[in-house]
Amino acid sequence: MPEDHALQALPDPSPTLLVELEGIYRDLHANPELSMQEQRTSGMAAAWLRRHGYDVTEGVGGTGVVGLLRNGDGPTVLLRADMDALPIKESTGLAYASDRTGTDRFGQATSIAHACGHDMHIVWLMGATRILSENRGVWRGTVMAVFQPGEETGQGARAMIEDGMVKRFPKPDVCLGQHVMPLSAGQIGWHIGAMLSAGDSWEVTLFGRGAHGSMPQKSVDPVVMAASAVMRLQTVVSREVAMTDSAVVTVGTMQAGTNENIIPDHALLRLNVRTFKDEVRTRVLGAIKRILEAEAEASGAPTPPTFSVLSEFPLTRNDAAATQKAVQALERRFGNERVVEVGSATASEDFGLFGTAWNVPSVFWVVGGIDPDIYRKAQAAGKVDELPANHAPNFAPVIDPTLRTGIATMLAVAGAWLQAA
């Protein structure tokens, strides 16, 4: 079924607006900023909102921006976009690829790239806020536009909430968010219930006893200890999680030593866990701690390992009634062929914290960003998993139709609450 423009109270983005937003997108993509460092990006978002008549508050939770557009009596709808980029070197080969560098949260020098698509999220919300501002005659209520920092590290939503967001701004009737994903561009995916997994990241230090590389008998080697622990951690999912449940355990960082003939005195691991059930999360995290402590003891470590939490992401859960309302609006606007139910994804988000903080329903959906021809060929060849995905150095959504679709989806869903009778 083609898009039914007769049912649209809020218009699609105009060609002129799309050209303007494409320019902003290319700028944002070429100038990414790391989590909680989004000074330039948040400044651009705030200036855009002011230009279009929003009451703007900057510096919420650090670099967060909240814009309010009041338009008579009616529901309050929160629309959210995240702003931060990743500590990764881009390899897309795009003319507007990032060559930016900076310092990450661990104090390490790093390249920076928008390898997760948050730059696209920013211009989606920019487009939606402008169209809402310019078409106040067809809707009633209050729009709360939230440009959020620090999603990648799980800091941003918490920081905004801890900065008094719930008391400083009106309570929304619904919180709405969306994410570009490696689906065919123009496709929209939804799911009721657990849309995204919970995520936990830990930093673990294993302690040994340093020595000369030629005198291993004088050492307690933390490299061997860490290597053994990493291999044993692979059994947590395969042997401690039921086949009817699911979990992912990833060791993303393993650091030890400075020279080939020096046995170091400690090793550092950074690991990530994804789960969909509280009881599975508790069991997996407990198993990880047990294994690391046991490996240290088995190695004769002089000190037990230390554990610190890097991030905690809640389960992203879509409210059933609100999601059904959103899906109906999307199907009216795009047709059943483009709006499809997808399964739960193992990625994680902090978006759900907003709905929890206000105790209101949330809806989070995904929008495809892979060139449709490329996706179709990969699908036919059974190679969809080989396409660049979020957090890969060569991931970047195709601008058209991803930009246009994401603005339209946000307007369609927001309009389900805001459109005047």
Side-chain angles (χ1 to χ4, degrees):
M1 184 175 75
E3 296 181 19
D4 189 347
H5 292 274
L7 294 175
Q8 293 181 26
L10 291 163
D12 286 332
S14 67
T16 301
L17 176 57
L18 288 173
V19 169
E20 181 179 2
L21 290 173
E22 180 174 339
I24 295 172
Y25 169 76
R26 289 170 178 261
D27 182 342
L28 290 168
H29 190 89
N31 296 282
E33 295 175 297
L34 291 172
S35 303
M36 309 308 289
Q37 302 177 27
E38 309 92 341
Q39 298 290 344
R40 180 178 184 271
T41 305
S42 63
M44 292 172 65
W48 177 272
L49 291 172
R50 287 195 180 96
R51 175 180 157 194
H52 297 293
Y54 286 73
D55 179 14
V56 178
T57 304
E58 296 183 70
V60 182
T63 52
V65 177
V66 178
L68 293 174
L69 186 64
R70 296 177 174 88
N71 190 35
D73 295 333
T76 296
V77 174
L78 185 153
L79 305 176
R80 176 269 204 169
D82 39 11
M83 300 185 291
D84 53 332
L86 287 161
I88 190 171
K89 184 170 180 59
E90 182 169 352
S91 63
T92 62
L94 293 167
Y96 50 91
S98 167
D99 61 2
R100 297 292 176 176
T101 59
T103 303
D104 67 13
R105 58 180 167 153
F106 305 113
Q108 302 170 144
T110 181
S111 297
I112 311 172
H114 265 301
C116 196
H118 295 184
D119 45 353
M120 184 62 70
H121 302 172
I122 295 165
V123 291
W124 280 346
L125 185 52
M126 283 181 165
T129 53
R130 174 168 166 177
I131 291 171
L132 284 161
S133 177
E134 293 176 346
N135 292 272
R136 293 181 227 191
V138 299
W139 63 273
R140 293 291 181 270
T142 298
V143 173
M144 185 190 308
V146 175
F147 289 89
Q148 181 208 306
E151 184 278 329
E152 295 293 356
T153 58
Q155 297 171 277
R158 279 189 178 86
M160 296 186 80
I161 292 165
E162 290 171 359
D163 199 15
M165 190 171 178
V166 172
K167 295 181 179 178
R168 295 168 65 183
F169 302 101
K171 181 178 181 177
D173 291 86
V174 68
C175 297
L176 304 176
Q178 57 183 10
H179 205 299
V180 64
M181 294 291 277
L183 304 172
S184 181
Q187 188 175 35
I188 303 143
W190 61 273
H191 185 77
I192 290 175
M195 180 72 184
L196 301 175
S197 68
D200 292 271
S201 292
W202 285 359
E203 181 175 277
V204 183
T205 302
L206 296 166
F207 298 97
R209 185 168 59 245
H212 195 286
S214 67
M215 304 174 189
Q217 75 279 4
K218 296 182 177 292
S219 75
V220 174
D221 193 337
V223 177
V224 175
M225 193 189 312
S228 179
V230 169
M231 294 304 296
R232 182 65 184 267
L233 288 173
Q234 306 312 304
T235 68
V236 172
V237 173
S238 66
R239 286 297 174 266
E240 301 199 39
V241 175
M243 63 177 291
T244 51
D245 293 321
S246 61
V248 173
V249 175
T250 298
V251 178
T253 299
M254 182 169 144
Q255 297 174 349
T258 58
N259 207 55
E260 79 282 357
N261 66 346
I262 302 172
I263 297 172
D265 63 1
H266 71 280
L268 180 143
L269 303 178
R270 295 192 186 110
L271 54 88
N272 180 257
V273 176
R274 309 292 172 123
T275 53
F276 287 102
K277 294 180 180 179
D278 289 340
E279 60 269 26
V280 175
R281 174 179 179 268
T282 299
R283 180 165 190 168
V284 169
L285 293 177
I288 290 170
K289 192 169 188 292
R290 184 194 74 234
I291 287 170
L292 289 166
E293 289 177 339
E295 288 291 350
E297 184 174 358
S299 299
T303 306
T306 61
F307 300 82
S308 61
V309 175
L310 298 176
S311 64
E312 292 178 331
F313 291 86
L315 194 69
T316 299
R317 186 176 294 280
N318 281 339
D319 177 82
T323 302
Q324 289 169 349
K325 185 173 183 176
V327 171
Q328 288 170 2
L330 290 167
E331 288 178 343
R332 284 196 301 268
R333 189 150 188 171
F334 297 99
N336 297 337
E337 293 83 3
R338 290 176 61 182
V339 182
V340 297
E341 184 172 8
V342 294
S344 300
T346 52
S348 300
E349 261 278 356
D350 62 358
F351 165 75
L353 290 172
F354 293 120
T356 300
W358 269 294
N359 193 27
V360 299
S362 297
V363 185
F364 193 83
W365 64 95
V366 296
V367 178
I370 302 296
D371 181 283
D373 289 337
I374 293 174
Y375 190 89
R376 194 178 304 112
K377 290 175 183 177
Q379 197 171 38
K383 296 183 177 182
V384 170
D385 282 342
E386 297 180 18
L387 293 171
N390 309 70
H391 288 220
N394 58 341
F395 176 78
V398 62
I399 295 176
D400 182 42
T402 310
L403 174 57
R404 173 166 37 91
T405 302
I407 297 169
T409 52
M410 186 164 279
L411 290 171
V413 179
W417 276 264
L418 294 169
Q419 284 177 15

